[in-house]
Amino acid sequence: MEDLLKIKDKNIVVMGVANDRSLAWGVAKSLHQAGANLIFTYRKERSLAKLTKMLDKTDLDAKLVVPCDVNDDGSIKEAFSKIADEIGTIHGVVHSIAFAHGEDLKNRFVETSRDGYAFAQDTSAYSLIAVAREARALMTEGGSIMAMSYLGAERVVPGYNVMGVAKAALESTVKYLAMDLGENNIRVNAVSAGAIKTLAAKGVPSFNEILQKIEAESPLKRNVTQEEVGDMSLAMISNLSRGVTGEIVYVDSGYNILG
Ligand code: 1JT
């Protein structure tokens, strides 16, 4: 078969695996199946421990695992400098990182603090710019960067609150980066994933209702899986999507088209 993906032996950095339910893990599995080399970054020691176990249990292995705290420019620089030393050229980055203070997802939106707002923006949206800047230097053969978003960026999903505002900034950031990095042959896109039970979704009281609503109302009448998000992410990282940049692609059973 013609090699439409051209992903074999390409070096892809995957950021944001916290456990085996993480969307980033789904992306890693799809990339691995297609023959990519994987480099993982983690923040918490707990995530490293989980990742190490997961890598042991599967046939998936990592070329490199490096610490990276996206709230810290120095840490991002260090991580990519290590990747440069050990790997050299990279071809893709998967940004699957978001965080907000718990109280900002529980309280009324109007109660969002200045600090909570800044923290959500810094972690979930600005971090893509900082990462793209360091990644660009290593993408000497061009590349593809993708981020993970959610419908709450553009619609009011009750309770998503400050994360919705951060994802709106993230999606806009994707478009401005796509424009800026196009001349370096670097594409920048986002996958807007439907609701999936991940660590991030834990402790969201209304989450089960959201899942039920999607099952009842979405065109496909079901929820999406980590594997489905992973496969579309593979398409966005790979040569299949070579003509696509600045795009937000929905993997949500079609839920976003409803009026
Ligand atoms: C974060 C959290 C980012 C949960 C996230 C997220 N992106 C999607 N989800 C799932 C979700 C969460 C809420 C929701 C609907 C979906 C939590 C930690 C911070 C980062 O509200 C209806 C709250």
Side-chain angles (χ1 to χ4, degrees):
M1 193 188 76
E2 187 96 34
D3 181 15
L4 293 169
L5 268 66
K6 294 195 174 154
I7 196 81
K8 203 174 170 324
D9 297 325
K10 296 281 163 60
N11 299 321
I12 313 297
V13 180
V14 179
M15 314 179 75
V17 177
N19 61 35
D20 62 2
R21 288 185 160 192
S22 296
L23 296 185
W25 183 244
V27 183
K29 286 190 291 187
S30 297
L31 287 167
H32 170 72
Q33 275 179 37
N37 296 329
L38 300 177
I39 299 133
F40 292 94
T41 75
Y42 67 92
R43 181 180 57 167
K44 296 186 182 145
E45 287 306 317
R46 190 176 163 75
S47 302
L48 173 62
K50 284 247 168 83
L51 179 63
T52 307
K53 265 199 187 151
M54 282 148 56
L55 292 170
D56 278 349
K57 271 200 294 192
T58 58
D59 69 330
L60 207 157
D61 53 13
K63 276 253 150 159
L64 183 66
V65 182
V66 288
C68 184
D69 175 358
V70 297
N71 294 111
D72 177 355
D73 285 334
S75 171
I76 299 171
K77 270 204 158 72
E78 253 180 67
F80 279 86
S81 144
K82 195 151 189 210
I83 294 168
D85 290 347
E86 309 258 333
I87 307 288
T89 298
I90 64 170
H91 305 91
V93 175
V94 178
H95 176 292
S96 187
I97 295 175
F99 213 57
H101 295 317
E103 66 255 34
D104 291 323
L105 301 175
K106 281 189 200 89
N107 297 342
R108 287 182 59 167
F109 180 65
V110 73
E111 298 298 337
T112 305
S113 68
R114 191 177 295 275
D115 173 64
Y117 185 95
F119 178 68
Q121 287 284 336
D122 187 51
T123 313
S124 316
Y126 178 75
S127 62
L128 184 66
I129 304 176
V131 164
R133 186 162 58 242
E134 299 307 320
R136 183 179 84 101
L138 308 190
M139 288 183 161
T140 51
E141 300 170 1
S144 175
I145 298 173
M146 63 146 294
M148 215 52 90
S149 194
Y150 176 59
L151 187 64
E154 38 175 338
R155 310 278 177 74
V156 174
V157 178
Y160 201 55
N161 295 1
V162 74
M163 268 316 302
V165 182
K167 290 297 190 188
L170 177 73
E171 291 187 3
S172 185
T173 298
V174 161
K175 296 173 195 179
Y176 278 91
L177 282 173
M179 188 64 208
D180 195 24
L181 300 182
E183 66 184 53
N184 300 112
N185 193 24
I186 297 171
R187 302 184 293 107
V188 188
N189 294 287
V191 164
S192 183
I196 295 181
K197 270 205 168 177
T198 64
L199 183 64
K202 228 175 135 182
V204 176
S206 57
F207 205 79
N208 279 334
E209 286 165 43
I210 294 175
L211 292 176
Q212 279 169 19
K213 200 168 152 109
I214 292 164
E215 214 175 290
E217 296 175 13
S218 70
L220 294 182
K221 300 286 180 282
R222 62 176 179 82
N223 284 286
V224 292
T225 64
Q226 183 199 44
E227 287 75 17
E228 288 167 339
V229 171
D231 283 355
M232 181 53 81
S233 301
L234 164 63
M236 299 318 291
I237 290 291
S238 82
N239 197 54
L240 263 187
S241 61
R242 64 196 174 280
V244 183
T245 194
E247 201 58 69
I248 315 297
V249 183
Y250 296 86
V251 182
D252 69 343
S253 302
Y255 187 73
N256 76 93
I257 68 173
L258 296 183

